[in-house]
Amino acid sequence: MKRLVHFFSGLIAGLLIHFAGLAEAGELLFVASGDNQGNGGGIYACEFSEGALSQPSKVFPLPAGASLALSSDKKRLYASSRPIERSETGELIAFKVLPEGKLQELNRVPFEVNHYCSLTGSKDRRTLLGASFDAGVVASYRLKDDGSIAKQVSKIALPRFARGKSDLARAHDVEFNRDETLACVSDIANNRVYVFDVDSESGALVQRSFVSSDSFAGPRHQASLHCATMDLVG
Protein backbone atom coordinates (compact mmCIF):
# COMPACT_ATOMS: atom_id res chain seq x y z
CA MET A 1 0.00 0.00 0.00
CA LYS A 2 1.06 3.59 -0.41
CA ARG A 3 0.59 6.56 1.83
CA LEU A 4 0.58 9.99 0.20
CA VAL A 5 1.70 12.96 2.21
CA HIS A 6 1.44 16.53 0.95
CA PHE A 7 3.53 19.32 2.46
CA PHE A 8 2.28 22.88 2.02
CA SER A 9 4.05 26.12 2.92
CA GLY A 10 1.34 28.48 4.11
CA LEU A 11 -1.47 27.19 1.95
CA ILE A 12 0.25 27.66 -1.39
CA ALA A 13 3.21 25.51 -2.52
CA GLY A 14 2.84 21.75 -2.20
CA LEU A 15 5.23 18.84 -1.87
CA LEU A 16 4.20 15.25 -2.46
CA ILE A 17 5.76 12.25 -0.73
CA HIS A 18 5.04 8.54 -1.26
CA PHE A 19 5.42 6.06 1.60
CA ALA A 20 5.44 2.36 0.70
CA GLY A 21 4.86 -0.64 2.94
CA LEU A 22 2.40 0.89 5.38
CA ALA A 23 -0.63 -1.03 6.50
CA GLU A 24 -3.05 1.83 5.94
CA ALA A 25 -3.59 3.91 2.85
CA GLY A 26 -4.31 7.58 3.33
CA GLU A 27 -3.26 11.15 2.73
CA LEU A 28 -1.91 13.81 5.04
CA LEU A 29 -1.60 17.54 4.48
CA PHE A 30 1.20 19.31 6.37
CA VAL A 31 0.71 23.08 6.70
CA ALA A 32 3.37 25.52 7.90
CA SER A 33 1.51 28.43 9.46
CA GLY A 34 1.55 31.11 12.11
CA ASP A 35 -0.94 31.11 15.01
CA ASN A 36 -3.44 33.92 15.58
CA GLN A 37 -4.12 32.74 19.16
CA GLY A 38 -0.71 33.78 20.49
CA ASN A 39 0.58 30.21 20.84
CA GLY A 40 3.29 30.45 18.18
CA GLY A 41 3.21 28.81 14.77
CA GLY A 42 4.22 25.40 13.62
CA ILE A 43 3.88 22.56 11.16
CA TYR A 44 0.38 21.11 11.29
CA ALA A 45 -1.02 17.84 9.95
CA CYS A 46 -4.49 17.28 8.48
CA GLU A 47 -5.94 14.01 7.21
CA PHE A 48 -7.88 13.67 3.99
CA SER A 49 -11.18 11.81 4.28
CA GLU A 50 -13.71 11.62 1.45
CA GLY A 51 -12.52 14.91 -0.03
CA ALA A 52 -12.45 16.80 3.26
CA LEU A 53 -9.67 17.68 5.72
CA SER A 54 -9.58 16.90 9.41
CA GLN A 55 -8.89 19.62 11.96
CA PRO A 56 -5.17 20.56 11.96
CA SER A 57 -2.96 18.98 14.60
CA LYS A 58 0.37 20.64 15.41
CA VAL A 59 3.20 18.14 14.87
CA PHE A 60 6.13 20.52 15.33
CA PRO A 61 6.14 23.94 17.04
CA LEU A 62 7.66 27.02 15.42
CA PRO A 63 7.68 30.69 16.44
CA ALA A 64 5.67 31.64 13.36
CA GLY A 65 5.20 30.31 9.82
CA ALA A 66 7.77 28.63 7.56
CA SER A 67 8.64 27.68 4.01
CA LEU A 68 9.13 23.98 3.28
CA ALA A 69 11.18 21.85 0.89
CA LEU A 70 11.38 18.07 0.55
CA SER A 71 14.47 16.08 -0.46
CA SER A 72 14.42 14.17 -3.75
CA ASP A 73 14.25 10.80 -1.94
CA LYS A 74 11.27 12.03 0.12
CA LYS A 75 13.07 11.24 3.39
CA ARG A 76 14.08 14.72 4.58
CA LEU A 77 12.09 17.91 5.08
CA TYR A 78 13.60 21.39 5.40
CA ALA A 79 11.84 24.35 7.02
CA SER A 80 12.78 28.01 6.98
CA SER A 81 11.46 29.06 10.38
CA ARG A 82 10.40 32.71 10.52
CA PRO A 83 10.59 34.67 13.80
CA ILE A 84 7.64 36.68 15.09
CA GLU A 85 9.38 40.04 14.68
CA ARG A 86 10.52 40.99 11.17
CA SER A 87 13.61 42.66 12.63
CA GLU A 88 14.84 39.30 14.02
CA THR A 89 16.58 36.45 12.17
CA GLY A 90 15.30 32.94 11.60
CA GLU A 91 16.53 29.34 11.51
CA LEU A 92 16.83 26.62 8.88
CA ILE A 93 15.70 23.26 10.29
CA ALA A 94 16.32 19.79 8.86
CA PHE A 95 13.91 16.92 9.66
CA LYS A 96 13.89 13.20 9.05
CA VAL A 97 10.47 12.12 7.78
CA LEU A 98 9.36 9.13 9.84
CA PRO A 99 6.62 6.62 8.97
CA GLU A 100 3.10 8.07 8.94
CA GLY A 101 4.47 11.56 8.40
CA LYS A 102 5.98 12.24 11.81
CA LEU A 103 9.02 14.54 11.92
CA GLN A 104 12.30 14.06 13.77
CA GLU A 105 14.56 17.12 13.97
CA LEU A 106 18.09 16.47 12.70
CA ASN A 107 19.62 19.91 13.31
CA ARG A 108 19.09 23.61 12.83
CA VAL A 109 21.29 26.52 11.82
CA PRO A 110 20.62 30.24 12.24
CA PHE A 111 20.70 32.49 9.20
CA GLU A 112 21.29 36.23 8.92
CA VAL A 113 17.95 37.08 7.32
CA ASN A 114 14.40 37.05 8.61
CA HIS A 115 13.06 34.32 6.39
CA TYR A 116 13.52 32.34 3.18
CA CYS A 117 10.21 32.53 1.34
CA SER A 118 11.41 29.86 -1.12
CA LEU A 119 13.52 26.72 -0.55
CA THR A 120 14.62 24.10 -3.07
CA GLY A 121 16.97 21.11 -2.79
CA SER A 122 19.18 19.49 -5.42
CA LYS A 123 18.43 16.00 -6.75
CA ASP A 124 21.72 14.67 -5.36
CA ARG A 125 20.62 15.87 -1.88
CA ARG A 126 23.85 17.83 -1.36
CA THR A 127 22.69 21.43 -1.81
CA LEU A 128 19.79 23.50 -0.49
CA LEU A 129 18.96 26.96 -1.88
CA GLY A 130 16.93 29.72 -0.24
CA ALA A 131 15.54 33.06 -1.44
CA SER A 132 14.86 35.82 1.10
CA PHE A 133 12.15 38.32 0.18
CA ASP A 134 12.82 40.82 2.98
CA ALA A 135 16.61 40.86 2.56
CA GLY A 136 16.73 40.46 -1.23
CA VAL A 137 19.23 37.63 -0.80
CA VAL A 138 19.83 34.17 -2.30
CA ALA A 139 21.84 31.63 -0.29
CA SER A 140 23.13 28.07 -0.65
CA TYR A 141 23.77 25.44 2.01
CA ARG A 142 25.75 22.21 1.92
CA LEU A 143 23.98 19.13 3.28
CA LYS A 144 25.51 16.12 5.02
CA ASP A 145 24.95 12.51 3.99
CA ASP A 146 22.32 12.06 6.72
CA GLY A 147 20.38 15.07 5.40
CA SER A 148 21.36 17.47 8.15
CA ILE A 149 22.62 20.96 7.30
CA ALA A 150 26.41 21.26 7.21
CA LYS A 151 27.02 24.96 6.54
CA GLN A 152 26.13 28.00 4.48
CA VAL A 153 28.45 28.30 1.46
CA SER A 154 26.99 31.35 -0.34
CA LYS A 155 24.98 34.43 0.58
CA ILE A 156 24.50 36.88 -2.31
CA ALA A 157 22.54 40.12 -2.17
CA LEU A 158 20.68 41.00 -5.35
CA PRO A 159 21.35 44.48 -6.83
CA ARG A 160 19.12 47.15 -5.29
CA PHE A 161 17.37 49.91 -7.20
CA ALA A 162 15.52 52.98 -5.95
CA ARG A 163 11.81 52.37 -5.30
CA GLY A 164 10.27 55.46 -3.72
CA LYS A 165 12.30 56.31 -0.61
CA SER A 166 14.05 52.93 -0.46
CA ASP A 167 16.54 50.87 -2.45
CA LEU A 168 14.93 47.48 -2.81
CA ALA A 169 15.50 43.93 -4.01
CA ARG A 170 12.90 41.24 -3.34
CA ALA A 171 14.01 37.66 -4.02
CA HIS A 172 10.80 35.64 -4.18
CA ASP A 173 11.55 32.25 -5.73
CA VAL A 174 14.64 30.13 -6.47
CA GLU A 175 14.72 27.11 -8.80
CA PHE A 176 17.35 24.83 -10.33
CA ASN A 177 17.56 24.18 -14.06
CA ARG A 178 17.33 20.56 -15.29
CA ASP A 179 20.95 19.51 -14.70
CA GLU A 180 21.25 21.76 -11.62
CA THR A 181 24.28 23.64 -12.93
CA LEU A 182 22.26 26.87 -12.79
CA ALA A 183 19.82 28.48 -10.37
CA CYS A 184 17.23 31.14 -11.27
CA VAL A 185 15.99 33.74 -8.79
CA SER A 186 12.99 36.03 -9.38
CA ASP A 187 13.16 39.61 -8.07
CA ILE A 188 9.67 41.08 -7.66
CA ALA A 189 10.82 44.61 -6.87
CA ASN A 190 13.00 45.09 -9.95
CA ASN A 191 11.22 42.87 -12.52
CA ARG A 192 14.26 40.68 -13.05
CA VAL A 193 15.11 36.99 -13.11
CA TYR A 194 18.76 36.33 -12.20
CA VAL A 195 20.81 33.32 -13.28
CA PHE A 196 23.55 31.89 -11.04
CA ASP A 197 26.16 29.23 -11.68
CA VAL A 198 26.01 26.43 -9.08
CA ASP A 199 29.31 24.72 -8.26
CA SER A 200 28.65 20.98 -8.20
CA GLU A 201 31.35 20.27 -5.63
CA SER A 202 30.80 23.07 -3.10
CA GLY A 203 27.28 24.31 -3.84
CA ALA A 204 28.62 27.87 -4.15
CA LEU A 205 26.72 30.41 -6.28
CA VAL A 206 28.17 32.90 -8.78
CA GLN A 207 25.95 35.40 -10.57
CA ARG A 208 26.00 34.91 -14.33
CA SER A 209 23.29 37.07 -15.95
CA PHE A 210 19.73 38.36 -15.68
CA VAL A 211 16.69 38.92 -17.88
CA SER A 212 13.95 41.53 -17.66
CA SER A 213 10.93 42.59 -19.70
CA ASP A 214 8.71 45.64 -20.04
CA SER A 215 5.83 43.20 -19.60
CA PHE A 216 6.99 42.00 -16.17
CA ALA A 217 4.97 43.25 -13.21
CA GLY A 218 6.66 41.49 -10.33
CA PRO A 219 7.85 38.03 -11.52
CA ARG A 220 7.17 35.55 -8.76
CA HIS A 221 7.14 31.79 -9.39
CA GLN A 222 9.18 29.85 -11.93
CA ALA A 223 9.23 26.38 -13.46
CA SER A 224 12.05 24.90 -15.53
CA LEU A 225 11.18 22.64 -18.48
CA HIS A 226 13.56 20.58 -20.58
CA CYS A 227 12.11 20.51 -24.12
CA ALA A 228 12.91 17.60 -26.41
CA THR A 229 11.16 16.89 -29.72
CA MET A 230 7.43 17.02 -29.09
CA ASP A 231 4.46 16.09 -31.27
CA LEU A 232 1.46 18.37 -30.87
CA VAL A 233 -1.86 16.58 -31.24
CA GLY A 234 -5.31 18.08 -31.66
Side-chain angles (χ1 to χ4, degrees):
M1 306 294 288
K2 289 185 177 179
R3 188 180 185 89
L4 304 178
V5 179
H6 299 263
F7 289 90
F8 274 72
S9 171
L11 289 171
I12 304 174
L15 302 170
L16 176 65
I17 183 170
H18 298 265
F19 286 116
L22 298 181
E24 299 177 0
E27 294 184 70
L28 293 179
L29 182 74
F30 282 80
V31 181
S33 177
D35 188 320
N36 63 7
Q37 314 241 339
N39 300 319
I43 300 174
Y44 297 78
C46 305
E47 292 188 10
F48 281 101
S49 178
E50 298 181 355
L53 288 170
S54 66
Q55 284 296 305
S57 174
K58 187 183 290 188
V59 294
F60 195 88
L62 296 172
S67 297
L68 303 176
L70 191 66
S71 64
S72 61
D73 63 358
K74 319 301 183 186
K75 295 180 180 179
R76 301 292 183 266
L77 176 71
Y78 300 95
S80 168
S81 177
R82 184 176 68 241
I84 297 174
E85 300 295 332
R86 296 190 73 149
S87 60
E88 298 177 351
T89 57
E91 293 180 307
L92 195 58
I93 308 174
F95 298 97
K96 180 179 181 180
V97 182
L98 301 176
E100 300 184 11
K102 295 180 180 179
L103 302 176
Q104 175 187 320
E105 182 178 336
L106 295 174
N107 75 328
R108 60 177 67 197
V109 297
F111 43 70
E112 299 173 353
V113 299
N114 172 269
H115 178 54
Y116 292 123
C117 62
S118 173
L119 292 175
T120 187
S122 61
K123 290 179 287 189
D124 64 7
R125 304 185 294 279
R126 298 174 64 195
T127 303
L128 184 70
L129 305 181
S132 171
F133 179 86
D134 285 351
V137 163
V138 59
S140 63
Y141 292 82
R142 210 56 172 164
L143 305 176
K144 298 180 181 178
D145 290 342
D146 66 355
S148 61
I149 304 156
K151 62 180 180 179
Q152 184 184 83
V153 292
S154 291
K155 177 188 173 187
I156 300 176
L158 301 184
R160 291 173 172 265
F161 299 91
R163 291 290 181 269
K165 297 181 179 179
S166 302
D167 293 338
L168 294 177
R170 295 291 191 230
H172 190 270
D173 184 39
V174 58
E175 300 292 341
F176 284 103
N177 73 327
R178 185 179 69 94
D179 63 6
E180 301 186 337
T181 58
L182 302 172
C184 297
V185 180
S186 56
D187 178 358
I188 290 179
N190 299 302
N191 292 325
R192 291 183 169 193
V193 176
Y194 290 91
V195 180
F196 293 83
D197 289 308
V198 183
D199 186 274
S200 60
E201 293 302 318
S202 67
L205 302 174
V206 177
Q207 186 180 329
R208 169 189 283 259
S209 62
F210 74 90
V211 67
S212 186
S213 170
D214 292 338
S215 298
F216 280 174
R220 286 166 168 78
H221 301 285
Q222 311 163 92
S224 176
L225 173 67
H226 173 66
C227 294
T229 302
M230 293 185 293
D231 294 323
L232 302 180
V233 180

